[in-house]
Amino acid sequence: MNRIAPYLRALAAAAVLLLCACAPRVDPTPVWQTILPGSGAGLTIANCAVEETTTPGDGQASLPLLRCDGVALLTITGAGAEQVDLRFALPDTDGVRFYNDNLPAEKIDYVLTAGEDGSLQYRLDTAYSFALTVTTAEGSDTLIIDCRREL
């Protein structure tokens, strides 16, 4: 057993290095930020370029639409995880189609972490569109984060 132990340690170290090398690199430098008008929560986006527009409004009220060209890192302040709803949505020429039967899965479609300051960070890994709703005692905001991109 003692002869095998150094090999097992080397194998474990190699596995850790491989996992660290495969983890996506995230640049936390903010590229877009606002205070959401209804909920009063702060929203910052990092790790991608952001194009701000609105969704088409044929028969629907238009919503803020943020097109992100990469893996978006959202930081939300002033709201707890229970006050944030994230689901799939698809903006198209007729408005936005919301998906209620297929919800994003944590650690597959997004990674949620809590900051030491009480903020929430959502790393949106899936190349799709998300509807982000933040609801506080002050009110509610919904916006679309479009992360569709070439893979």
Side-chain angles (χ1 to χ4, degrees):
M1 181 69 175
N2 288 340
R3 293 183 187 167
I4 297 174
Y7 296 109
L8 291 175
R9 277 183 269 192
L11 183 61
V16 167
L17 286 174
L18 180 62
L19 287 173
C20 290
C22 294
R25 306 252 186 255
V26 175
D27 180 2
T29 306
V31 295
W32 186 92
Q33 59 191 61
T34 193
I35 300 296
L36 300 172
S39 64
L43 174 63
T44 301
I45 300 178
N47 201 52
C48 61
V50 177
E51 176 190 342
E52 187 176 356
T53 185
T54 58
T55 61
D58 291 351
Q60 297 182 20
S62 63
L63 295 171
L65 172 63
L66 303 173
R67 295 186 197 281
C68 301
D69 70 350
V71 174
L73 178 65
L74 311 180
T75 301
I76 300 171
T77 57
E82 69 283 352
Q83 296 171 305
V84 176
D85 180 49
L86 188 66
R87 59 184 164 148
F88 292 123
L90 181 63
D92 60 25
T93 57
D94 296 331
V96 178
R97 185 173 45 200
F98 296 97
Y99 294 88
N100 293 321
D101 55 340
N102 188 14
L103 297 176
E106 188 173 354
K107 297 184 181 169
I108 296 172
D109 299 309
Y110 69 95
V111 175
L112 172 62
T113 55
E116 292 178 11
D117 61 354
S119 64
L120 302 172
Q121 284 193 330
Y122 290 82
R123 190 184 73 219
L124 305 179
D125 291 333
T126 299
Y128 205 70
S129 295
F130 298 88
L132 174 72
T133 302
V134 180
T135 304
T136 65
E138 291 182 38
S140 182
D141 295 286
T142 298
L143 54 131
I144 307 300
I145 311 289
D146 189 353
C147 297
R148 293 176 290 173
R149 60 194 179 276
E150 295 290 324
L151 295 177

